[in-house]
Amino acid sequence: MSRESLPVRFETFRVTAAHRTADPEVTVLEYELGGTVLTTGRRASAPFIAVMRVRDGLIVHWREYQDTQAITDALTQPPIPST
């Protein structure tokens, strides 16, 4: 994926929940990324879920789920009108 295909300047990262699992190496993390869409100047955010396996202090597996509709909505908003 090229930078042009996701024209966003990420500015915030907020963990909304962390969940332990029966496997002590696996954690489920809910978080939100926020930023500015560079092509429109609009600020937006989208929720994500990550399932990660941590072994010896290193992330050895990461699976991420995205709210693709929120991302699409953010990228297709019209530009902020100039004043």
Side-chain angles (χ1 to χ4, degrees), residues 4-6 13 16-17 24 27 31 34 40 44 54 63-65 67 70-71 73-74 83:
E4 293 80 28
S5 64
L6 189 61
F13 172 86
T16 56
T27 299
Y31 62 96
T40 65
V54 178
R63 179 169 289 167
E64 182 177 81
Y65 299 90
D67 183 341
I71 295 167
D73 290 347
T83 54

Side-chain angles (χ1 to χ4, degrees), residues 29-79:
L29 183 68
E30 298 179 51
Y31 62 96
E32 181 181 270
L33 287 176
T36 301
V37 179
L38 300 176
T39 55
T40 65
R42 292 193 181 271
R43 293 187 45 77
S45 63
F48 294 79
I49 294 175
V51 180
M52 68 181 85
R53 179 174 297 279
V54 178
R55 188 173 298 136
D56 298 324
L58 300 173
I59 297 172
V60 296
H61 179 82
W62 177 282
R63 179 169 289 167
E64 182 177 81
Y65 299 90
Q66 306 171 359
D67 183 341
T68 55
Q69 187 61 56
I71 295 167
T72 298
D73 290 347
L75 294 174
T76 59
Q77 293 294 313

